[in-house]
């Protein structure tokens, strides 16, 4: 069964949490590098969150398939997505504040938010298709799960 990745990564443990605006003058190259590194850390954190959540979703679908798509699983999938959304919202809020505090525009946060939503929509569509089209009676679902599950590990 999937473990709760979100609960093992509370918002307060984000590397960027509690950050103060840079005290180094923004005109210095080292300050700009530090700000860029911090922004990159936020982006990497979002990507890691998406990867963890995608794995949890595939774990749940795999469990569901193994249990012949029992009715209780759809609420688990929704809960996993809601947990991920909550964690994402904390990260993106911190990133936006950090960008503002350091005189940066919001384009990187906007892009991260668009990519997050696109990935979420794609995974939701993929899993919905799997559940309602491929798994029901065609026998293709097991192969699909094996192919995709291997990408994310067990």
């Amino acid at each position: 069964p999937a473990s709760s990745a979100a609960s093992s990564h509370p918002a307060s443990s984000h590397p960027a949490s509690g950050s103060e605006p840079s005290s180094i003058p923004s005109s210095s190259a080292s300050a700009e590098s530090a700000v860029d590194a911090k922004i990159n850390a936020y982006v990497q954190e979002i990507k890691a969150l998406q990867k963890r959540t995608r794995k949890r979703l595939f774990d749940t679908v795999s469990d569901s398939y193994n249990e012949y798509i029992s009715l209780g699983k759809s609420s688990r999938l929704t809960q996993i997505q809601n947990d991920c959304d909550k964690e994402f919202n904390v990260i993106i809020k911190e990133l936006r504040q950090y960008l503002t505090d350091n005189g940066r525009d919001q384009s990187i946060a906007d892009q991260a938010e668009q990519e997050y939503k696109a990935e979420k929509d794609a995974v939701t569509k993929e899993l919905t298709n799997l559940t309602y089209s491929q798994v029901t009676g065609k026998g293709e679902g097991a192969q699909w799960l094996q192919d995709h599950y291997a990408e994310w590990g067990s």
Side-chain angles (χ1 to χ4, degrees):
S3 65
S4 178
S7 64
S8 65
H9 295 84
S12 61
S13 70
H14 294 303
S17 290
S19 298
E20 300 291 326
S22 177
S23 60
I24 303 171
S26 62
S27 62
S28 86
S30 64
E32 288 301 308
S33 280
V35 170
D36 288 342
K38 186 84 158 206
I39 291 167
N40 186 51
Y42 279 112
V43 171
Q44 294 307 312
E45 189 174 1
I46 290 168
K47 289 179 180 181
L49 170 63
Q50 287 179 296
K51 185 175 181 177
R52 285 191 318 269
T53 300
R54 185 175 176 98
K55 183 186 180 319
R56 288 180 63 208
L57 290 168
F58 277 91
D59 285 348
T60 301
V61 169
S62 179
D63 289 348
S64 295
Y65 185 81
N66 292 335
E67 296 173 17
Y68 303 103
I69 314 299
S70 64
L71 294 175
K73 296 299 178 180
S74 63
S75 64
R76 275 181 66 192
L77 295 171
T78 300
Q79 184 59 49
I80 291 168
Q81 287 180 321
N82 290 342
D83 290 347
C84 181
D85 287 345
K86 285 177 190 172
E87 193 170 345
F88 173 79
N89 288 333
V90 168
I91 295 167
I92 203 73
K93 182 179 178 184
E94 289 177 10
L95 172 57
R96 287 188 183 284
Q97 186 61 54
Y98 188 78
L99 290 168
T100 298
D101 291 349
N102 286 281
R104 300 290 185 98
D105 69 37
Q106 297 289 315
S107 60
I108 189 111
D110 294 341
Q111 181 180 350
E113 198 161 13
Q114 289 170 354
E115 289 176 10
Y116 174 83
K117 288 176 182 179
E119 173 71 9
K120 179 181 173 183
D121 289 346
V123 170
T124 299
K125 194 176 288 186
E126 190 173 24
L127 293 175
T128 300
N129 181 50
L130 170 69
T131 302
Y132 294 107
S133 299
Q134 294 182 353
V135 174
T136 55
K138 292 185 181 178
E140 299 167 3
Q143 184 61 48
W144 185 94
L145 274 173
Q146 288 175 348
D147 293 346
H148 285 75
Y149 193 68
E151 293 174 18
W152 302 101
S154 49

